Amino acid sequence: MRAAERFGGNCIERLREAIEDAGGNEVFAAGWLDEGGLVSRIKILARGNETSVPALLKNAEMDDPGSLPDVFIHNHPSGFLTPSDNDLVISGRAGEAGLGAYITDNAVEKVYVVAEPVRRRQYKALEAGRIIRALEPGGAVAKRLPAYEIRESQLNLMKLIVKAFNGNAVAAAEAGTGVGKSFAYLLPSVRYALDNRERIVVSTATITLQQQLFDKDIPLVLSALSPAERKQIKAVLMKGRGNYLCRRRLTDALMEPLLDEEEYEELRRIAAWVETTKSGSHSDLSFLPQEGIWSRICSEADMCMGLRCPERERCFVLALRKEAADAKLVVVNHHLLFADLAARHEGAGYDVTVVLPPYRRVIIDEAHTMEGAATDFFSKTFSRPGLARQLGRLYRRRRAKRSGLLLRLADICGSKGGKAAPLAPQPSLKGEGSPLDEAAAAMEGIRDAMDVLDQLALALCGEEGVFRLCPRTEEGAFSLASPLTGLRKKIDLLVARIREMLENIHENDQDDPAVWETKSILRRLETVGSICLAFVEYREREKEVLWIEKRGTGADAWTVFSETPVDVAPGLDEALFRPNKTVICTSATLTISGSFNYWAGRNGAALDPERETMMGIFPSPFPYSENVLLAVPTDAPLPDEASYQEFVDYAALALTLAAGGSALILFTSYLSLKSAYNAAQPELQRQGIRCLKQGDDDRARLLAAFLEDRASVLFATDSFWEGVDAPGDTLRLVILCRLPFRTPKDPVFEARREAVEKYGGNAFMELSLPESVMKFKQGFGRLMRRSSDRGVIAVLDGRLLKKRYGEHFLRSLPETRTCFMEFESIVRNTERFLFP
């Protein structure tokens, strides 16, 4: 066949030049077809000799995973184009993936088609007008929403998302409160899934938004479709597998010798529940099990026996994955998404089910949390309590009672025999020198070593409660080196002893759940050892932050050793943005002074210069300029002045009294919170204003109590700066006591600051300030949740007006009424504004 029948454009000339440059030897190339089926673009992947060339099939995907080739091409210098046996093998592999395989001569005049490429299917572009009509007055969705009002910002956001789908682009959209971003991305997603039979993954940071999407927004969008279309769209909500019970692990737990009657009763209650639940989800339980109990019976990836599991047919996680296999909308959280992306990037591939079913288009809501979620996911940690739990799963003894996986291994080996000398069954375990005794002694050695290490680490953390290992602190941390090395060696010894036990188990028993779970725990122990080694070799770990944090108080305090990546942007670029055709990121807070640069740089969205990235800011339709008063006292002291906390204590009380309660007071430190709470609580209580304080109850119950009592005031810190939705008179006043700059003592933040400065950047302007502005915007957003809401936002930090960088905070907010006056005037104006 003539080459001109298969190659278009200048591809023949380009391939001929590549062969000449290789000295007439074989070259291996990837090719992309145009609409007419001709190769219109090629990329040389490898060069060889006269008779062979490396067939680097995966290199094309690694180089450009978002645009896979259609055909692989190589030449035969001899001019004989009949494929060799190796050619047929490689062509067969390509053909199974729908790819073609061509052989040409050196002059690229002739071509032999070994495998025909599967023509790339044509995608149906979204019609923006058709989708927008659903939200116009009388539209299919609009008429299902009570008191719906058309919002130009929502329609414009939808147009951007349509362009991103049609253009296979990355899009970043900042959508202010009230824009209605969920409908703006769900409507195009559903239509694209219908027209092109593609799966769309929607990822959120919070369970609250997951549930809202799945229980409310998605059903409403689907109800607007025709009956025939509704049958073609299936939505599935997927949580992390730790939220689901594992039947096999529950059975194993019930079979273990009992140590605690309370534990047994709780397991019995769960066993009764499991016979009635359809989902097996932790959230469906009518009671809250102990964390230690649930961790023993929940589904975990490294504990999963897969095809070997005796409960496979009744597995809740497998049932969920089957549900998701034919779903067109899959709603997940960021942690689950990152788990899936990491596995795919590490070699699982993008066209098979891994944690999630395969997909190429992703919506990331609450995208301002991406860096933090990725940092948490890719961090590795260990602690004394965590290590104790793993050892306890292997072997526990309390008085005359024993339990644990090692006892079950002994039973397996003793009762069924093994390929070597079997372990003794449980009755003879009291004998000295038995493998079980040796393992138990090794575990005691690990506990002792961990206790010593923990005490040294607590001393290093000091009153600040945190310690980072770096050249500046190396001398003080010298005392950790030997205990870390000792702990790692003791772990290695235990692992070796238990592996010897496992070798004694007959191959017919290797699929026993106890064997499987023991191997998983050994891998976890080895991870602890690897973290110990990272601390010892910290100078060789420039891309990692090695740090220790104190948890608990008093005699119950312990430390957590963490290994955290300095920069997650390259990983997100390689695992998320490059492989997927469409990635849409949206949040109410993505920009600083109108620029996406900070968010894009920190999250890897700006690392591919050849990829089109669409960005847009879509302002809130809410009447901030009429309904919100931004108050900043001109006489507020700076936070580093001695009188600052006294001012905050006084101001929090005075403003809350002026507002009659209904206040959320946000702090950046718990010490400051306690001081203000203690100063205000007596008087507020006398005035009938209920005072709630973070730390007195869990977050969900505190928030519920605040929402139920319209006259209450909530004193809160970090986690309440976002995710609080209190519309109406429940919240009339938000006090931001201090600009939310991250403490310089935060070890991960400190390392990232150093990384910026290492490359000649300004850490304050490029990291500290933008991060603070993003969080400030989140705090500001707590006030106005509905268009009819009205209230005051008071900022008690004098830096907002007295420092030049304060302009960045102010320019990042919507236009409001302002009151920049002395504090006493602000109190009077607050009362007048709220009660005109």
Side-chain angles (χ1 to χ4, degrees), residues 464-485:
E464 294 177 358
V466 69
F467 174 84
R468 175 187 166 213
L469 182 57
C470 61
R472 175 174 50 79
T473 63
E474 181 180 54
E475 185 174 348
F478 181 76
S479 61
L480 290 179
S482 179
L484 283 164
T485 301

Side-chain angles (χ1 to χ4, degrees), residues 26 49 118 186 279 307 389 457 501 511 542 578 755 792 796:
E26 289 195 24
N49 54 33
V118 176
L186 285 175
S279 69
L307 293 172
R389 279 195 297 272
M501 295 182 182
D511 287 341
E542 292 185 355
R578 289 182 189 263
V792 174
L796 305 182

Side-chain angles (χ1 to χ4, degrees), residues 796-816:
L796 305 182
D797 193 330
R799 293 174 295 180
L800 190 62
L801 299 181
K802 296 174 183 177
K803 298 291 185 179
R804 290 182 61 184
Y805 58 74
E807 296 176 2
H808 290 278
F809 291 89
L810 296 173
R811 286 204 303 266
S812 295
L813 300 178
E815 182 180 348
T816 67

